Amino acid sequence: MEGRVCGVCFWDFRQPLDRYITTIRPITRHLILTACFLLRSIGYIQYTHDHGLFESDLIASIADWLLCCDVDTDGLLEEGPYCSWDDSLKKTGASIYNNALAYAALRATGRMLGHAAYDSAAQRLQDASTRLFADGYYRSWTAMDVFDVAGNLLAVYTGLADADRSGQVCNTLDHVRNRHGDTLPKNAYPAYPRSVVYPLLRAVGLSDYHNAGPYWSWLYALEALVRPEHAPTIYTELAVWCHRGVHELFDRPAIPTNRLTYRSERDFTWCAGLIRAGL
């Protein structure tokens, strides 16, 4: 069968893309991998000027795949369950994290290809994202009123949040972190209901893995990029937490998470790369 690879997705291009999107199982609608693939591909082309690796129609096709994920045509892109970075959570509908990534990918596509349609789609997504915003932050996803730290920081970093909302997000982060006595931010305030956590993780005592449990080091590194005025303080604090190694998760400074059923990953490139990007 002839087909085309699109990020992590594959379809028979003899069928309309919109039909493909609406007929596949929602669990395969993995926005984060496809948006990141698109961003990295465009970044590679811009950095190396190697236009032979990815044809412009392939870049456009990947962006079109993203746009077809707006299943209910409300401007926000819908994902399948367990399809965000915190993939132990059964998110449904439109999440702020994945829509911030998609916004950045559509903007990058519009700049590279010079197609106003992708800029218009990004603007529509940005306008629609205001429906997720209330009380100083973006809800984690459509029906979940939780302050998702990663999603909100990414909304600020990508420009999805305007200057006013960016300021409100940063103020909310400071407020909830201080209220809980946290230096590094947890990934969510408050914790998500246990009902949205993958059952197997609940069974082995890891219901807090993506759920306001251990501290994710990469979130603090992302905050340094979002708030450069605080970067010196953040990097000094990260040096304390990571002086025995850049770990994925910490229970407290310099003490990585180490449980019977889970041990924190060492040499965590997600955090190390973000630190390197800010230095």
Side-chain angles (χ1 to χ4, degrees):
M1 180 186 73
E2 292 183 330
R4 180 177 291 259
V5 174
C6 176
V8 296
C9 302
F10 181 91
W11 75 86
D12 177 358
F13 60 64
R14 293 170 296 187
Q15 298 182 15
L17 246 183
D18 56 353
R19 178 181 174 187
Y20 169 80
I21 287 293
T22 55
T23 56
I24 60 172
R25 292 181 302 157
I27 198 168
T28 63
R29 201 178 299 132
H30 218 307
L31 296 181
I32 180 173
L33 296 184
T34 306
C36 285
F37 179 83
L38 183 56
L39 284 167
R40 289 303 85 205
S41 300
I42 292 173
Y44 169 83
I45 293 170
Q46 292 174 336
Y47 183 77
T48 65
H49 304 289
D50 179 6
H51 293 268
L53 183 60
F54 299 102
E55 299 175 358
S56 60
D57 69 323
L58 177 58
I59 296 296
S61 294
I62 299 172
D64 291 342
W65 188 94
L66 285 175
L67 292 177
C68 285
C69 291
D70 182 11
V71 177
D72 57 7
T73 66
D74 68 345
L76 294 173
L77 309 186
E78 285 75 40
E79 64 201 67
Y82 311 112
C83 286
S84 191
W85 82 271
D86 40 4
D87 54 6
S88 67
L89 302 176
K90 190 177 182 180
K91 296 184 177 182
T92 56
S95 75
I96 184 59
Y97 185 90
N98 282 348
N99 274 272
L101 271 179
Y103 171 80
L106 291 171
R107 284 293 189 202
T109 302
R111 287 194 300 268
M112 177 181 173
L113 300 183
H115 292 177
Y118 297 115
D119 292 321
S120 298
Q123 184 62 55
R124 184 165 182 260
L125 190 159
Q126 185 178 40
D127 293 342
S129 71
T130 61
R131 296 198 303 273
L132 294 175
F133 192 89
D135 300 322
Y137 62 92
Y138 293 93
R139 296 194 307 276
S140 182
W141 68 89
T142 311
M144 184 57 63
D145 188 11
V146 169
F147 180 57
D148 172 7
V149 173
N152 276 267
L153 286 176
L154 199 62
V156 176
Y157 183 70
T158 60
L160 179 70
D162 61 20
D164 178 63
R165 291 190 177 89
S166 294
Q168 292 186 59
V169 165
C170 291
N171 289 337
T172 299
L173 176 57
D174 289 340
H175 174 72
V176 296
R177 182 165 50 193
N178 291 337
R179 189 175 66 196
H180 289 81
D182 295 330
T183 302
L184 270 67
K186 296 290 181 73
N187 73 297
Y189 296 94
Y192 295 100
R194 281 174 53 85
S195 59
V196 303
V197 178
Y198 189 63
L200 180 59
L201 267 70
R202 296 203 307 265
V204 298
L206 283 174
S207 60
D208 65 344
Y209 177 63
H210 287 126
N211 195 16
Y215 296 93
W216 287 84
S217 57
W218 76 274
L219 290 178
Y220 209 29
L222 176 59
E223 185 181 357
L225 297 180
V226 170
R227 309 174 77 178
E229 69 278 12
H230 295 288
T233 299
I234 291 174
Y235 291 134
T236 298
E237 191 67 36
L238 275 173
V240 174
W241 284 69
C242 298
H243 84 271
R244 295 179 180 173
V246 180
H247 284 264
E248 171 194 25
L249 295 168
F250 291 89
D251 289 328
R252 54 187 185 276
I255 305 298
T257 301
N258 187 2
R259 302 179 182 175
L260 180 63
T261 55
Y262 183 76
R263 178 178 295 176
S264 175
E265 178 184 337
R266 184 183 170 90
D267 300 327
F268 191 51
T269 56
W270 197 347
C271 178
L274 286 171
I275 293 174
R276 178 65 182 85
L279 296 177

